[in-house]
Amino acid sequence: MRGALSGSLVWLLGCGGAGGRSDTLESSEASEAVEASEAETSASADTESAADAVPLDIPEERVDVAVRPSNMPRGFVIAPPDQAQAPECGTVHGGVVFDTNLDGWDDVVLATDDGLRVLVGDPYGRFTLARVVDPASGAQVPLRPGGRGEVRGVVSTGTGFVVACTTGASELRLGPTPTGLAVAGRLPVRDGACRALAVGDVSAETGVSLLALVEGLDGVALRRWVDGVADEALLSAAGPALPVGMLEPAAPGCAFERLEQDPLGRGIGRLTAVLSVPELVATLPIAADGWPVRLRLRVRGDGTPVLVEPVLVGSDGARVLGPALEVPAANWAEVDVETSAWGAPSPALAAVGLRVSGAPELAGRLYLDDVVVELPDRLTAVVAAFDPPARFRWDDASALVAGDVDGDGAADAVVLRQSKPPVLVRSYGGPVASPLSAGGQVGFSAAALLDAESDGDRDVFLVSPAGQDRLLVGDGYGQFLDTTLGAVPVDGANGTSALAADLDGDGHDDLVIGNRGGTDRHYRAKGDGRFGDATPFLGFDSLDTAVVLALDLDRDGDLDLMSVAADGNVTPLVRVAIPREDGS
């Protein structure tokens, strides 16, 4: 083995401003606020005591309690606009409620086209955009946990972490710290860009299942990870080796190909020199706007002494050669090397490769995997993960929800398509995909799993962007019946998201549908598979909603709502739950 380690190289050998409410207020300032509020409402027999939550500073005329029906335990009141701050980004794609700083108060983590954004909640029900000081300009800028780059979704695993669906090299795993959200690891590198992410059932038997729609060259594929390990059941059987890149020079008998699997179940690349040649340069194409600052990959040899040098190719054809690397003969090595010191002769990256030479001539095999570059602003881009093709792929898959719909303890997936019926992918007896009948409608934009009939089985609620929302009732074995007629209010709004949660404390899952171009809608569950339209008690203030979140902003035991606009420069709309007239 010959060659020298140089540069910054790491080898890891091995196999692979309005007031608010609070439960308790101990400061004198808070006590004075309570006393002032009691003085202003002395005519009311239901005046709160100093030990109760301080009321939000909201005009009473906004709450129309005279028309509240007896079967509606509580409604909602619109909070002042300054109760929350805008995330300051281009577009919001999704969000999740998560305590990012371990202070016991709900925060909101948003997926945007400029990284993650965090709205930090406080004991007064306010949400403030988390900021940091830019060392270059000294100005305060939004905090982006995990760096910049487009994030298409974010979910909570239910085990103290959140996972971000990125268009980079892999999904980010983030956890809470006293100073805020921090990166705690990554899922395995995969080919393509994540377009949607969902979390499955969390149990001791099956662990946490994360399902993602990943858009690659061969369509949008469904992939699943269980406890961070790729689920091979959703990958196709091994097939013939496929070409993955280019060889220079094109020597006879030499090949650069993809193997479907190695002994560890990974897809890998293999560079083979059958005839003795001085050297080979193998390149993998990539379209990246910018020059990389770091290169990562996994590599293993077959015992033949070789010298390997990384190659970066610019969009103008310019090449930069990295430091020489030694390759282990038996175990996989993780290569992590700084590339910023190599220079940036081109404004964009067009290919990443390896120059391999022998002593005195080259013959043998070199295996590699998970080739990733890191661009400025910590944006990562996968060059090649050599993933085996996914078993399930669709050209128009756009969203998904996950959960156990057939009672086998493993997460199933409902995949939404833009121009065809939704698809149910069940895990029982091996992955099986079948269409879901939804009254002949296609092109749903969002979905939610809930128990509409209170029978313990998962049902599916589908949101249409330009037609009737539909309810599919499940039998607990993976079969569904469309019961929309007579069960769901008539609706033709532009729906974008769905939230299923018990908002009135009666033990049944209610629904909130986020809409664009109109108010969000609220359907109250009757517990027998039917829903009544309770939208008037949601409040008619509207915005182009991207996602609706349920949270307890004041820790009074009931669920409040936050509607986040698709436009990241618009302030989220906060709806605060108000109690019954008897104070309960």
Side-chain angles (χ1 to χ4, degrees):
M1 187 90 52
R2 68 190 180 92
L5 299 181
S6 62
S8 177
L9 173 65
V10 178
W11 289 87
L12 302 176
L13 297 178
C15 299
R21 294 193 296 182
S22 174
D23 286 333
T24 58
L25 295 172
E26 298 177 357
S27 68
S28 59
E29 180 181 355
S31 298
E32 291 172 1
V34 174
E35 291 171 0
S37 176
E38 290 175 342
E40 292 174 1
T41 57
S42 58
S44 172
D46 295 326
T47 301
E48 292 180 337
S49 68
D52 292 330
V54 179
L56 285 166
D57 186 14
I58 303 171
E60 286 298 326
E61 60 268 18
R62 299 292 294 277
V63 187
D64 188 358
V65 297
V67 298
R68 187 185 311 151
S70 59
N71 67 345
M72 185 63 193
R74 60 172 64 89
F76 293 87
V77 64
I78 307 297
D82 56 1
Q83 197 70 24
Q85 292 183 341
E88 296 183 11
C89 60
T91 303
V92 175
H93 298 293
V96 67
V97 178
F98 188 76
D99 182 6
T100 64
N101 53 9
L102 301 173
D103 64 353
W105 301 98
D106 286 339
D107 308 318
V108 173
V109 183
L110 299 175
T112 84
D113 58 0
D114 188 33
L116 293 174
R117 292 289 196 276
V118 179
L119 299 179
V120 181
D122 66 14
Y124 302 97
R126 295 186 296 251
F127 290 87
T128 306
L129 179 63
R131 300 178 183 274
V132 294
V133 177
D134 182 2
S137 64
Q140 287 195 340
V141 297
L143 175 68
R144 303 177 180 90
R148 304 190 69 162
E150 187 176 12
V151 181
R152 293 302 297 265
V154 60
V155 298
S156 172
T157 65
T159 57
F161 295 93
V162 295
V163 178
C165 167
T166 78
T167 58
S170 60
E171 277 56 71
L172 280 177
R173 184 170 176 262
L174 303 101
T177 72
T179 57
L181 204 61
V183 175
R186 295 177 180 270
L187 269 65
V189 171
R190 41 93 183 112
D191 283 326
C194 182
R195 294 305 182 196
L197 188 67
V199 63
D201 301 282
V202 180
S203 67
E205 292 79 16
T206 61
V208 179
S209 294
L210 285 167
L211 295 96
L213 293 177
V214 178
E215 183 178 6
L217 296 177
D218 54 352
V220 182
L222 178 65
R223 296 192 178 272
R224 178 169 58 195
W225 297 269
V226 180
D227 287 336
V229 179
D231 184 359
E232 297 298 326
L234 287 181
L235 300 179
S236 66
L242 300 174
V244 295
M246 298 177 59
L247 283 179
E248 301 175 14
C254 300
F256 188 24
E257 58 195 349
R258 182 180 71 188
L259 304 181
E260 291 298 338
Q261 291 183 345
D262 72 350
L264 296 178
R266 298 174 181 264
I268 59 174
R270 182 176 68 183
L271 176 62
T272 304
V274 177
L275 303 177
S276 295
V277 295
E279 67 177 25
L280 287 174
V281 177
T283 57
L284 297 159
I286 180 176
D289 185 13
W291 194 257
V293 297
R294 182 181 296 273
L295 170 65
R296 303 196 305 268
L297 58 92
R298 300 173 66 246
V299 64
R300 175 174 67 86
D302 65 355
T304 305
V306 294
L307 186 67
V308 175
E309 298 163 282
V311 178
L312 301 179
V313 183
S315 57
D316 57 0
R319 296 192 174 201
V320 175
L321 197 62
L325 314 174
E326 291 189 22
V327 178
N331 296 327
W332 286 94
E334 301 281 350
V335 179
D336 189 341
V337 57
E338 296 278 354
T339 62
S340 54
W342 303 358
S346 177
L349 182 68
V352 173
L354 294 175
R355 177 184 176 187
V356 185
S357 55
E361 53 191 16
L362 177 64
R365 295 177 177 87
L366 182 71
Y367 302 90
L368 66 155
D369 194 12
D370 294 353
V371 184
V372 175
V373 293
E374 183 177 311
L375 302 170
D377 296 319
R378 298 184 63 185
L379 172 63
T380 57
V382 60
V383 180
F386 308 103
D387 288 339
R391 186 182 300 272
F392 303 111
R393 297 186 299 273
W394 308 271
D395 293 334
D396 59 349
S398 57
L400 81 162
V401 291
D404 181 14
V405 302
D406 53 16
D408 67 349
D412 311 298
V414 176
V415 179
L416 306 184
R417 306 181 64 181
Q418 296 175 355
S419 58
K420 293 184 179 179
V423 176
L424 172 64
V425 181
R426 296 175 55 196
S427 56
Y428 182 75
V432 177
S434 57
L436 282 176
S437 177
Q441 285 184 234
V442 296
F444 295 97
S445 55
L449 297 182
L450 71 162
D451 186 2
E453 295 182 306
S454 304
D455 59 357
D457 301 329
R458 295 285 188 97
D459 308 307
V460 181
F461 184 78
L462 301 171
V463 175
S464 172
Q468 174 63 44
D469 301 333
R470 309 202 72 87
L471 176 65
L472 308 183
V473 173
D475 63 357
Y477 299 95
Q479 303 298 319
F480 291 87
L481 177 66
D482 190 332
T483 63
T484 302
L485 185 61
V488 179
V490 175
D491 181 20
N494 184 359
T496 60
S497 62
L499 167 69
D502 182 10
L503 299 179
D504 50 27
D506 64 354
H508 306 306
D509 290 331
D510 307 305
L511 287 164
V512 178
I513 299 94
N515 289 316
R516 291 186 180 178
T519 185
D520 299 335
R521 301 196 66 176
H522 174 26
Y523 299 159
R524 181 172 180 264
K526 299 181 180 181
D528 59 358
R530 297 178 299 158
F531 291 82
D533 194 345
T535 301
F537 312 103
L538 195 65
F540 288 104
D541 289 52
S542 65
L543 74 167
D544 286 344
T545 302
V547 61
V548 180
L549 302 171
L551 67 166
D552 188 357
L553 62 85
D554 44 21
R555 294 183 64 183
D556 61 352
D558 55 24
L559 290 177
D560 310 297
L561 298 173
M562 177 185 288
S563 296
V564 185
D567 185 346
N569 295 305
V570 174
T571 302
L573 181 63
V574 177
R575 295 179 169 98
V576 183
I578 55 176
R580 299 183 183 92
E581 294 178 358
D582 59 7
S584 61

